[in-house]
Amino acid sequence: MSMSEASLGRESQFIPGNPQQDAYDDDSSSSSNEGEDEDSDKDDTNEEAQEVETSVEEQLTKVLHEMKHSGKRFGEFDQEVKDRIAMKTRNENEPTTLHILAIAKKDELPDERFLKPLIKFLVRRPERLLAKKDDGQNYTPLHHAILKNKTKMVKWMCEADAEIDKILSMKSQKKKNCLHVAIEKRSKMVDYLIGLASPDTLSAKDFDDNTPLHLAVECQRCDEKQLELIEAIVEKCDDHMRDTGKDFNAASRSPYLHHLYTCEQGIDMEKAKMDVAIKKPREENKANNSTHPQTDGQKVQGGIYAEYNKKQTLSMKQTLSARSELSGKGQQRLTAVSHPTNEPLPNSPTVEGVDENKTRCKAGVPAKDAEKEPKNGNQSPTLKKIRDFLKLHYLRTRDHDAALEILYGRYPNSGHSNKATFLDLSGYSTKDGASKAISILKFEDILQYVKIPRMRADENSLIRNASKSTGQMIQSNGNGRGDLVKVFESLKGVNTILKVTVDDLKPPAHSDEAIEDALRGKNVEIWDWKKIDLCPEVIYNAAPKATEIHLHWSGNNAVLRGWSEEDGLPKLTQLRKIELYVEQGLEQFRRVKTNVAEFKRRIGVQMKRESIRAQIRIVCARGKGQQKEQKAQEHFEALKQHEKMKDALIQIGVTKNKYLTVWDVFGKKVEVAKNYEGEKINLLAEVAETLCAKF
């Protein structure tokens, strides 16, 4: 029952001389003429009885009436009145005065300067009125305030409760918390509520296991401003969703798949409307003004489908249908196997492919001729931005297998894409062999990584192909290679590579121009092209949006100073991490150490000036011997964390220096220095190898 019909309806009873008004008027006396003949004690008893009969709703009605019509502020009411309106009401559908106020119409309430203190008083009461639920939908007062779009009341409630996240997390009958409701209602306060909610509240599931993110990406809500909302949700709670396994709803759809599904549903609605309109007689079409059936769809879907025409509708359905056909090919489901050492995505799968001599090609799809998939055609720019954002985010933050499930479905019959999401050419020794393997693959437009090992130079590797920058065939005047330009050109349709790793340390390395031509337009985010003393201008030209770079330094201080200049690495405005690999050159190590420290200082000053916050990590290799020592140190530190290994180290009495000779205990041969206690070293290695499987 609404407040106007039930509670505030009693306002009409405020008439001078009305007997019932005695319960509302502080200065009123008994209106009964018969009471004049009774003694004063009996009068007091009657007044007390009437006061007890005054309901919470009636008391609230009086308070609101005096606020609205007499300008009485809430602080001026007696404490007894305040306590009374904080009690439970008789109406289970409006169990508290906060429910009544949240549901009431705007014209039934006093001005906000009177209402705000009342709301905050009720929220702060020890009765925890804001946590009470009604008997209808199990809504709290905050649920109702959001549903009624009472933005100021929502803010007052949130400001007054010291533990507002607990209130935001409370679920309705359909397991919807306040974030679910705010997103579905498209509340103006949704950004504010996201800021207050914890990651757990923001990733809670409703009755259909939809998180707030699932609801936010539904197609009918995807207007131009929705992308900012989606980004805010992802930034705050995606780590929690990943760690707690909340990426999928009851229909096994990730937010990305749920977005595609709701778009398909919307297209079907549009097509159904068009079909109905076409079948109607021409006269009826004119009478109903239905010559443009899209207009009806715009009203239903908020205008989001206005950019779809009939051709695009069929194209989307064909695309999803093609993916559905793949669902029967469960044999094509990829299986995770061991992956090369130091690869950032340890769960990436390996499949058999074609190479020059029956070698292997690693990619995220079966190595066979890919089935042709229909193109989606032109789509709404807003929908494309949201889809691209979600796709890029999941490829960045999930390992290969998890990303495939999120993008294409989590079960073998869900129709995984037949496009590769990464490329690993480990095992290939020539460009031609690699190119043959790549030629049979189709790639997603975003690749998680590309890894290319050291390859033998082809006979014509020094004769450059047509340069992208000049468009002319040129004969190289130097020893720089250019073979990998063709390899990267063969990645057709790829516009983003999240990480590039190329082994180009040994001479002859690729020329600067070849590197630029190979990676230009690929939007590389993590740069690990291993070339000594690489010019920062090359990185900027090839990957201006790089967020992480790996640099290999010869020890020449002039290079460090060039990297740290204003026109050097600070030009990469999105840079967040630098890893510097130091090889000791002609200088003594203490001189190298001083130069590196000065590099960190100089580049820190330049980046601060450009408002760039980048983490700098220095890896001092100092030659092969020191590289081996550093690796041993890392293994030693890792093994020390194992409880059984701690006991073994104590019993054996091995020092860290002695352990440095045991640089690789994980199933490999142990190297023992001549002057060390070989017996103890071997015992340590045996213990480590025994624990290896459990470590």
Side-chain angles (χ1 to χ4, degrees):
M1 184 179 293
S2 70
M3 184 174 176
S4 59
E5 295 173 348
S7 302
L8 296 184
R10 295 185 176 86
E11 226 174 81
S12 61
Q13 298 175 2
F14 296 139
I15 303 172
N18 189 329
Q20 296 182 8
Q21 187 176 349
D22 299 340
Y24 302 128
D25 195 340
D26 292 338
D27 300 326
S28 65
S29 59
S30 175
S31 61
S32 173
N33 292 330
E34 296 177 359
E36 296 176 358
D37 298 332
E38 299 177 356
D39 54 36
S40 58
D41 291 338
K42 192 171 182 180
D43 289 340
D44 293 339
T45 302
N46 288 340
E47 289 178 0
E48 208 172 280
Q50 285 181 323
E51 194 170 341
V52 171
E53 292 173 359
T54 303
S55 68
V56 176
E57 295 94 329
E58 290 170 340
Q59 189 67 71
L60 177 63
T61 299
K62 177 186 174 181
V63 169
L64 296 177
H65 179 272
E66 293 191 31
M67 284 180 171
K68 187 173 182 180
H69 298 287
S70 302
K72 187 174 182 179
R73 295 185 177 275
F74 183 67
E76 299 174 7
F77 288 93
D78 295 337
Q79 187 62 41
E80 185 178 358
V81 173
K82 295 178 181 179
D83 292 340
R84 181 63 176 159
I85 62 174
M87 295 180 181
K88 186 177 180 180
T89 69
R90 299 171 181 173
N91 186 352
E92 295 299 332
N93 289 326
E94 297 175 1
T96 72
T97 47
L98 280 177
H99 283 86
I100 295 173
L101 294 170
I103 295 171
K105 296 179 180 179
K106 184 177 180 180
D107 59 2
E108 296 173 338
L109 299 174
D111 188 83
E112 63 183 56
R113 69 179 184 276
F114 298 106
L115 188 60
K116 180 178 178 180
L118 171 60
I119 296 293
K120 291 196 170 186
F121 166 81
L122 293 171
V123 172
R124 289 168 179 160
R125 290 285 297 187
E127 292 89 345
R128 295 285 289 165
L129 301 180
L130 198 57
K132 305 297 182 185
K133 296 182 179 181
D134 61 37
D135 273 3
Q137 296 294 326
N138 280 349
Y139 283 151
T140 65
L142 188 55
H143 277 106
H144 283 297
I146 294 170
L147 286 167
K148 293 292 183 180
N149 279 323
K150 294 185 176 178
T151 56
K152 291 185 178 179
M153 187 178 291
V154 169
K155 190 173 183 180
W156 299 335
M157 289 177 174
C158 293
E159 289 175 344
D161 196 299
E163 298 179 324
I164 191 58
D165 181 61
K166 291 183 179 180
I167 304 299
L168 291 172
S169 67
M170 296 184 71
K171 294 186 176 182
S172 67
Q173 188 178 45
K174 294 185 178 180
K175 296 186 178 181
K176 296 183 184 296
N177 66 24
C178 290
L179 274 302
H180 290 101
V181 172
I183 291 171
E184 285 186 326
K185 187 63 179 177
R186 308 196 74 173
S187 169
K188 295 178 181 178
M189 297 298 290
V190 67
D191 292 322
Y192 175 74
L193 296 176
I194 289 173
L196 297 176
S198 66
D200 188 57
T201 298
L202 202 51
S203 57
K205 293 188 172 186
D206 64 11
F207 186 80
D208 296 316
D209 281 351
N210 285 322
T211 65
L213 181 59
H214 281 86
L215 301 182
V217 301
E218 287 183 346
C219 201
Q220 65 269 26
R221 298 187 181 93
C222 291
D223 56 20
E224 293 181 359
K225 297 181 179 179
Q226 193 73 357
L227 179 57
E228 295 180 8
L229 175 67
I230 294 169
E231 290 174 342
I233 296 174
V234 167
E235 181 179 358
K236 188 159 189 180
C237 75
D238 183 67
D239 288 346
H240 185 77
M241 289 181 65
R242 178 192 60 210
D243 297 341
T244 56
K246 294 181 178 179
D247 280 328
F248 296 90
N249 62 13
S252 295
R253 291 193 293 267
S254 65
Y256 177 82
L257 291 175
H258 192 62
H259 172 75
L260 294 182
Y261 171 78
T262 54
C263 286
E264 181 189 16
Q265 294 295 103
I267 292 172
D268 288 342
M269 290 176 61
E270 284 295 296
K271 188 174 184 302
K273 285 182 174 291
M274 287 189 286
D275 290 343
V276 170
I278 292 172
K279 290 179 182 179
K280 288 182 179 181
R282 186 183 302 273
E283 294 78 13
E284 186 178 352
N285 286 342
K286 291 181 178 180
N288 294 329
N289 193 26
S290 58
T291 55
H292 300 286
Q294 295 90 339
T295 303
D296 295 331
Q298 291 174 3
K299 293 178 181 178
V300 174
Q301 299 296 340
I304 195 64
Y305 300 111
E307 299 176 62
Y308 286 103
N309 56 32
K310 187 173 182 180
K311 179 178 178 181
Q312 294 161 349
T313 299
L314 294 174
S315 177
M316 172 68 83
K317 295 185 71 176
Q318 289 169 354
T319 298
L320 294 171
S321 175
R323 287 182 176 170
S324 178
E325 290 175 4
L326 288 173
S327 64
K329 303 181 180 181
Q331 296 84 351
Q332 294 187 7
R333 167 87 176 188
L334 300 176
T335 304
V337 299
S338 60
H339 200 266
T341 306
N342 297 328
E343 184 53 49
L345 299 170
N347 294 328
S348 299
T350 306
V351 295
E352 292 296 323
V354 178
D355 60 12
E356 63 258 27
N357 294 309
K358 296 184 180 180
T359 54
R360 295 178 300 279
C361 173
K362 298 175 184 176
V365 296
K368 54 180 277 187
D369 291 335
E371 297 180 26
K372 294 184 179 180
E373 188 173 349
K375 296 181 180 180
N376 287 342
N378 297 324
Q379 296 185 7
S380 160
T382 300
L383 295 177
K384 186 177 186 303
K385 286 179 182 177
I386 290 173
R387 187 184 66 250
D388 289 349
F389 166 76
L390 291 171
K391 185 176 183 180
L392 182 59
H393 169 74
Y394 287 123
L395 287 171
R396 277 177 180 152
T397 60
R398 304 299 195 270
D399 63 37
H400 177 267
D401 291 348
L404 278 185
E405 289 184 344
I406 287 173
L407 297 180
Y408 306 112
R410 64 193 308 183
Y411 298 114
N413 62 352
S414 58
H416 276 196
S417 172
N418 56 349
K419 293 184 178 180
T421 57
F422 71 89
L423 176 65
D424 187 342
L425 294 177
S426 299
Y428 286 83
S429 58
T430 66
K431 177 203 72 175
D432 290 341
S435 297
K436 289 178 182 178
I438 295 173
S439 66
I440 66 171
L441 297 172
K442 276 183 167 291
F443 295 94
E444 280 285 0
D445 55 349
I446 301 173
L447 298 185
Q448 287 185 308
Y449 68 90
V450 171
K451 184 178 181 180
I452 301 178
R454 180 71 184 176
M455 293 187 176
R456 294 195 306 270
D458 294 340
E459 295 180 1
N460 298 323
S461 63
L462 300 181
I463 301 178
R464 296 292 313 284
N465 295 303
S467 169
K468 291 183 181 178
S469 56
T470 64
Q472 298 178 351
M473 297 293 291
I474 59 173
Q475 173 75 35
S476 175
N477 293 322
N479 294 324
R481 295 173 60 178
D483 5 355
L484 291 186
V485 174
K486 283 293 183 181
V487 172
F488 280 95
E489 283 181 348
S490 65
L491 302 179
K492 299 186 183 301
V494 175
N495 56 42
T496 300
I497 303 175
L498 299 183
K499 181 174 182 177
V500 165
T501 302
V502 176
D503 186 352
D504 205 15
L505 288 172
K506 295 180 181 179
H510 283 72
S511 68
D512 289 350
E513 187 176 5
I515 296 173
E516 290 178 357
D517 286 351
L519 296 182
R520 186 179 285 112
K522 299 301 184 185
N523 291 310
V524 174
E525 295 188 359
I526 300 178
W527 177 284
D528 192 13
W529 191 298
K530 305 177 192 297
K531 180 182 177 182
I532 299 294
D533 296 343
L534 185 61
C535 175
E537 190 70 16
V538 174
I539 302 176
Y540 179 77
N541 291 337
K545 296 181 180 180
T547 60
E548 178 180 330
I549 58 174
H550 297 245
L551 301 172
H552 295 261
W553 179 50
S554 65
N556 186 344
N557 194 41
V559 175
L560 278 188
R561 297 185 70 86
W563 282 342
S564 59
E565 288 294 333
E566 182 179 358
D567 289 337
L569 298 179
K571 289 179 66 176
L572 300 169
T573 57
Q574 298 185 36
L575 189 60
R576 295 297 177 265
K577 185 177 180 181
I578 301 172
E579 290 209 0
L580 177 63
Y581 298 86
V582 181
E583 294 287 341
Q584 185 177 352
L586 298 176
E587 305 297 332
Q588 294 292 324
F589 181 67
R590 64 175 180 272
R591 182 64 176 264
V592 171
K593 192 174 181 180
T594 300
N595 291 340
V596 169
E598 178 63 13
F599 162 74
K600 291 180 70 174
R601 186 196 67 79
R602 284 168 55 84
I603 199 168
V605 171
Q606 294 292 347
M607 288 185 167
K608 186 176 181 180
R609 189 175 300 167
E610 300 294 331
S611 299
I612 302 173
R613 295 183 178 181
Q615 173 189 357
I616 302 176
R617 178 173 178 261
I618 309 298
V619 181
C620 295
R622 294 189 289 157
K624 292 183 179 179
Q626 287 77 8
Q627 253 182 345
K628 182 177 179 180
E629 182 178 306
Q630 182 179 345
K631 186 174 182 180
Q633 177 70 31
E634 292 174 357
H635 280 295
F636 179 76
E637 294 299 328
L639 278 171
K640 281 199 306 183
Q641 305 304 316
H642 196 289
E643 291 297 331
K644 292 184 179 180
M645 200 62 204
K646 289 178 183 178
D647 296 337
L649 288 171
I650 294 173
Q651 293 173 7
I652 296 172
V654 177
T655 65
K656 181 161 63 174
N657 288 335
K658 291 177 182 179
Y659 181 80
L660 290 179
T661 60
V662 192
W663 65 275
D664 192 349
V665 299
F666 293 97
K668 296 184 179 180
K669 291 184 178 180
V670 178
E671 297 184 2
V672 181
K674 293 181 180 179
N675 298 326
Y676 288 152
E677 301 176 37
E679 191 174 331
K680 291 183 178 180
I681 294 294
N682 287 330
L683 180 58
L684 173 61
E686 183 179 345
V687 173
E689 288 177 359
T690 302
L691 296 174
C692 174
K694 299 179 181 179
F695 185 71

